[in-house]
């Protein structure tokens, strides 16, 4: 039974995740030291499990989600990294103009278009296969029955960065991260990470440290608005995604002068950054956890010029 306690910093609820890394100029070893602390609930079976992945070109250990070979928090011989939730908006809904008399048509820019019908067969053990017809539009598949509070009869299409892309899967970026020999080569692998969005801090044995936002993020139409939180008008192409944000202009940082980096699900770029991510985890600014970690780092530096690995922990 949950205790009757207020929300906020004193709430016992999970605070999501946080990670921090101290650069080599401020450590006693000359290597960077990284801590990544996932504040996920204790479940059975566990959401995270520890494993060791080794091949001809990589040798890494860490934790990930059951069923996925991606190491979310881990290290190899030269580089360590920690991934925390970013939760940036990778999907939009489009309300279609339809006619009940022609259920597989929709109108765009004054012209009626035919939906593409795709038959999917789902094999079920010891039962008959389940057959589904997926209706595709220029915006994406019809998702009307899955949209919360969607009015009866209203057809809605969803446009999103796919969780699985056979030609450019996130695992390609993740393996590049596992192969990295330095922060530079680690950062070079990050554009391969497509889904989900995440914050990533990393450091190497030479003392370099870095941060980058991960994930494919759309360049939305000016009609969408800054937060992308509302369904868009699907009767025109004007609201469609324009492209993906070039990876090198996503928020990133390498070897800041202060010598440390902190990620705690907070906004990692100042308000001058004009590209909207949509409503996301920490979009309002610093979190209590991020501020406290920074405070603890500064308290230590006020009395010491170096961190031992235990100090960082």
């Amino acid at each position: 039974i949950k205790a009757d306690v207020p929300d906020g910093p004193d709430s016992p609820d999970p605070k999501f995740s946080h990670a921090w890394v101290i650069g080599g100029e401020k450590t006693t070893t000359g290597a960077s030291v990284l801590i990544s602390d996932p504040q996920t609930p204790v479940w059975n079976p566990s959401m995270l499990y520890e494993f060791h992945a080794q091949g001809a070109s990589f040798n890494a250990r860490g934790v990930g989600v059951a069923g996925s070979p991606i190491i979310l928090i881990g290290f190899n011989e030269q580089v360590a990294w920690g991934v925390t939730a970013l939760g940036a908006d990778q999907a939009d809904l489009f309300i279609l103009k339809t006619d009940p008399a022609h259920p597989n048509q929709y109108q765009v820019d004054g012209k009626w278009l035919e939906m593409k019908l795709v038959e999917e067969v789902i094999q079920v053990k010891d039962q008959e296969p389940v057959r589904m017809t997926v209706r595709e539009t220029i915006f994406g598949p019809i998702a009307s029955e899955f949209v919360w509070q969607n009015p009866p009869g209203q057809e809605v299409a969803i446009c999103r960065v796919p969780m699985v892309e056979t030609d450019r899967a996130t695992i390609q970026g993740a393996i590049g991260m596992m192969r990295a020999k330095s922060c530079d080569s680690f950062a070079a692998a990050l554009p391969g990470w497509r889904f989900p969005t995440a914050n990533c801090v990393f450091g190497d044995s030479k003392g370099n440290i870095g941060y980058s936002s991960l994930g494919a993020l759309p360049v939305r139409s000016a009609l969408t608005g800054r937060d992308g939180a509302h369904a868009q008008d699907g009767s025109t192409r004007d609201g469609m995604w324009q492209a993906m944000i070039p990876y090198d202009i996503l928020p990133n940082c390498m070897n800041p002068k202060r010598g440390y980096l902190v990620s705690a699900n907070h906004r990692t770029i100042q308000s001058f950054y004009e590209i909207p991510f949509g409503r996301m985890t920490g979009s309002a600014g610093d979190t209590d956890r991020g501020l406290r970690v920074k405070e603890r780092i500064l308290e230590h530096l006020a009395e010491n010029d170096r961190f031992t690995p235990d100090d960082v922990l």
Side-chain angles (χ1 to χ4, degrees):
I1 299 174
K2 186 175 179 179
D4 185 15
V5 295
D7 293 332
D10 296 326
S11 168
D13 291 339
K15 305 293 186 183
F16 298 101
S17 306
H18 35 265
W20 57 96
V21 61
I22 309 294
E25 292 186 358
K26 295 188 180 297
T27 67
T28 56
T29 64
S32 60
V33 181
L34 181 144
I35 305 293
S36 191
D37 184 14
Q39 296 291 299
T40 53
V42 176
W43 292 336
N44 188 13
S46 176
M47 185 181 80
L48 298 176
Y49 73 107
E50 184 177 7
F51 63 96
H52 181 186
Q54 186 171 11
S57 61
F58 58 87
N59 182 21
R61 187 182 183 96
V63 297
V65 178
S68 170
I70 296 174
I71 295 178
L72 299 175
I73 302 170
F75 59 94
N76 60 25
E77 292 98 331
Q78 304 295 335
V79 184
W81 62 92
V83 171
T84 63
L86 174 59
D89 191 351
Q90 291 183 289
D92 280 325
L93 296 173
F94 289 85
I95 300 174
L96 303 179
K97 184 175 182 180
T98 58
D99 181 354
H102 305 281
N104 293 326
Q105 292 183 338
Y106 60 110
Q107 191 179 77
V108 179
D109 296 327
K111 296 182 179 180
W112 287 96
L113 305 179
E114 292 285 343
M115 298 178 187
K116 179 182 177 181
L117 306 183
V118 180
E119 190 76 14
E120 297 282 358
V121 180
I122 302 172
Q123 302 294 336
V124 181
K125 185 177 180 180
D126 298 328
Q127 297 182 34
E128 291 296 315
V130 176
R131 299 182 181 276
M132 298 178 62
T133 299
V134 178
R135 296 181 293 162
E136 296 275 358
T137 73
I138 60 172
F139 304 102
I142 299 293
S144 308
E145 61 184 296
F146 306 110
V147 176
W148 183 58
Q149 290 189 340
N150 188 43
Q154 179 172 278
E155 296 284 23
V156 179
I158 184 168
C159 178
R160 67 165 302 138
V161 175
M163 290 184 246
V164 177
E165 296 175 286
T166 56
D167 61 336
R168 49 186 174 181
T170 291
I171 185 61
Q172 294 173 323
I175 290 178
M177 294 160 63
M178 293 161 62
R179 288 174 172 152
K181 302 300 182 184
S182 67
C183 277
D184 285 339
S185 57
F186 186 88
L190 298 182
W193 184 292
R194 302 273 298 172
F195 181 91
T197 61
N199 297 294
C200 183
V201 295
F202 48 96
D204 66 23
S205 59
K206 300 296 185 182
N208 300 297
I209 61 174
Y211 163 85
S212 183
S213 298
L214 304 182
L217 289 166
V219 178
R220 290 179 165 87
S221 163
L223 300 179
T224 304
R226 288 194 61 82
D227 62 14
H230 303 286
Q232 308 304 309
D233 180 6
S235 68
T236 173
R237 286 180 169 84
D238 292 343
M240 295 180 71
W241 289 359
Q242 308 300 301
M244 290 294 170
I245 300 173
Y247 197 85
D248 58 359
I249 63 172
L250 290 179
N252 68 87
C253 180
M254 191 81 81
N255 291 325
K257 289 183 179 180
R258 63 178 177 267
Y260 63 88
L261 288 163
V262 177
S263 172
N265 308 119
H266 63 281
R267 183 184 177 95
T268 55
I269 196 75
Q270 297 294 333
S271 58
F272 62 77
Y273 188 75
E274 295 187 354
I275 300 175
F277 276 14
R279 293 180 181 176
M280 59 185 182
T281 305
S283 60
D286 271 306
T287 61
D288 56 340
R289 294 167 291 118
L291 288 171
R292 181 56 177 155
V293 172
K294 294 175 188 176
E295 186 178 62
R296 294 287 289 128
I297 290 172
L298 293 175
E299 287 173 356
H300 182 87
L301 289 175
E303 300 180 0
N304 308 272
D305 61 352
R306 294 288 187 274
F307 287 83
T308 68
D310 283 343
D311 292 333
V312 181
L313 180 61

